[in-house]
Every structure is written in C-alpha cells, then in structure tokens.
Amino acid sequence: MGPDLNIDVAAVAEARPDLVLASLSVPGMERVVQALGEAGLPTLVLDPVSVAETLADMRTIARAIGLPEQGEALVSDFQNELAALRGSYPRPPRVLVEWWPRPIIAATRDSWVTELLSALGAENALGEQPGRSRPLTLDEVRAARPDLIVCSWCGARKLRPEVIEARGLGVPVSAIHESGLGRPGPRLLEGARALRQALDALRLP
C-alpha cells in the first residue's frame, strides 16, 4: 500500500477493507488519515502514549472487529506477564531508550517507555523531560546519568550498538528491535522481556 507517509489510498479502497487501523505516531500521518476519511474508508485512529492507553486500544480494536472476549484475554495475559517481569534492584536502574543516533533522539516522559520501565522496576533516564521524545546532545545524554542505553532505532535495517558505545560514555548498551519497543501494542512484551534481561546483567554502583 506504500510507505507510511505516502499510502496509496486508491489501493487501500480496492482492497475493500472492513476496517483500516491508522496511527498518528509519525509526524505527517494526519494527511494520510484525512485522505482515508475523504475516500469514505472506515478508519480507526489510534495514538497511545502509555502502556495503559495501549491496553485500552487493544480492547478498542477487539470490540471493533467483534472479538471483545479475545481482547480482554490478550490484555489480561499482557498485564500478568508484565507484572511477573518486574525485577528487584538496589535502586531503580536509569535507562535511556534511543530512537535515532544522528541527532540522538530518545524517549522522554510522555512515552509508553516510561510506564514500561516503571513496571519492570526501572526508570526512564529522561522521565522528567516533557514530550514523547527529543533530540539530545552528547552532554545531555551524559547528564541524564543512564545506567543502560537501549539502541532501538526506528526504521533502521540494522541496529548498531557499537555506534553508541563509541561515544565513550562507558555505559552498557543493549539492542532491542523497534518492533518490541517502538510500536505500542502487544509486542511491547517482547521489549519488556529483553529489557529485563539487560537490566539483570547490570552492575549498579
């Protein structure tokens, strides 16, 4: 159907969908959503910024496709596993989740990353900074005092944690594919599992 910001709306219409799921997570998606509406396509727009909102959207989708019970079961399984993944640490490890390397862009307070880390017993190193994400200088990364940096570059064909390690911060780096962290949905559990493994490997001062 085309790349995310240049969807072939005519091709979507030809597919005769019963429902189109759309997201506003990428700047510029508003134009795509507008074009879908103008084409008369039934569209459900989702834009969660927290784990709680992600779970609510899972229920919303399940109701929209006539499978509310399966939706409730999916949410319950998600909540139970996430609770079981909570770790015990001398103090909450500070984690910086990097979405892009040049410029450095990382998840800030208003991101599902913040709530996900909290559920695991950790904290977002940028959790006091407003917004979903923001560009950072290397000095700002250093000032955030992360115990762990997660390489989860959006749209990258290959994650290269060695690029982050080469900055000389002396902070452990873990690579987690964006499918597990960068897209709010059921697969956030994959990211949570990988995060728990990386957190348990830390030697906190």
Side-chain angles (χ1 to χ4, degrees), residues 55 57-78 186:
L55 297 179
D57 280 354
M58 288 158 60
R59 290 188 174 100
T60 297
I61 294 170
R63 288 194 300 268
I65 61 176
L67 299 172
E69 292 180 0
Q70 286 91 327
E72 287 297 333
L74 185 64
V75 168
S76 178
D77 289 346
F78 187 106

Side-chain angles (χ1 to χ4, degrees), residues 22-76:
S23 169
L24 296 177
S25 60
V26 178
M29 283 296 292
E30 297 84 359
R31 299 190 305 273
V32 176
V33 171
Q34 181 180 349
L36 291 168
E38 291 172 351
L41 294 166
T43 305
L44 180 59
V45 181
L46 307 167
D47 193 26
V49 296
S50 68
V51 172
E53 290 178 358
T54 299
L55 297 179
D57 280 354
M58 288 158 60
R59 290 188 174 100
T60 297
I61 294 170
R63 288 194 300 268
I65 61 176
L67 299 172
E69 292 180 0
Q70 286 91 327
E72 287 297 333
L74 185 64
V75 168
S76 178

Side-chain angles (χ1 to χ4, degrees), residues 17-205:
D18 296 304
L19 180 66
V20 177
L21 298 179
S23 169
L24 296 177
S25 60
V26 178
M29 283 296 292
E30 297 84 359
R31 299 190 305 273
V32 176
V33 171
Q34 181 180 349
L36 291 168
E38 291 172 351
L41 294 166
T43 305
L44 180 59
V45 181
L46 307 167
D47 193 26
V49 296
S50 68
V51 172
E53 290 178 358
T54 299
L55 297 179
D57 280 354
M58 288 158 60
R59 290 188 174 100
T60 297
I61 294 170
R63 288 194 300 268
I65 61 176
L67 299 172
E69 292 180 0
Q70 286 91 327
E72 287 297 333
L74 185 64
V75 168
S76 178
D77 289 346
F78 187 106
Q79 292 173 319
N80 290 338
E81 181 171 353
L82 186 58
L85 284 170
R86 185 175 183 85
S88 178
Y89 309 103
R91 60 172 174 79
R94 295 174 59 81
V95 181
L96 187 145
V97 174
E98 183 171 299
W99 296 139
W100 197 248
R102 296 187 184 93
I104 300 170
I105 298 176
T108 47
R109 181 188 65 199
D110 304 320
S111 166
W112 52 86
V113 163
T114 300
E115 194 175 338
L116 194 69
L117 287 169
S118 178
L120 294 172
E123 64 183 23
N124 185 348
L126 301 175
E128 296 181 356
Q129 300 192 25
R132 300 185 187 191
S133 63
R134 58 158 294 194
L136 301 165
T137 65
L138 189 58
D139 284 342
E140 287 175 316
V141 173
R142 188 178 290 108
R145 297 177 292 107
D147 298 300
L148 173 70
I149 297 177
V150 174
C151 175
S152 189
W153 298 341
C154 299
R157 292 186 178 182
K158 181 181 179 181
L159 297 178
R160 298 178 58 199
E162 66 273 13
V163 170
I164 298 175
E165 293 167 349
R167 295 172 188 159
L169 296 173
V171 177
V173 180
S174 178
I176 301 177
H177 194 272
E178 66 167 323
S179 62
L181 276 184
R183 303 172 185 174
R187 293 183 68 178
L188 282 180
L189 277 178
E190 296 176 14
R193 295 181 198 118
L195 279 169
R196 171 64 193 271
Q197 187 175 9
L199 291 169
D200 285 353
L202 293 177
R203 296 181 178 179
L204 296 176

Side-chain angles (χ1 to χ4, degrees), residues 1-12 29 32 35-36:
M1 300 299 173
D4 52 6
L5 294 180
N6 192 24
I7 298 296
D8 186 339
V9 176
V12 176
M29 283 296 292
V32 176
L36 291 168

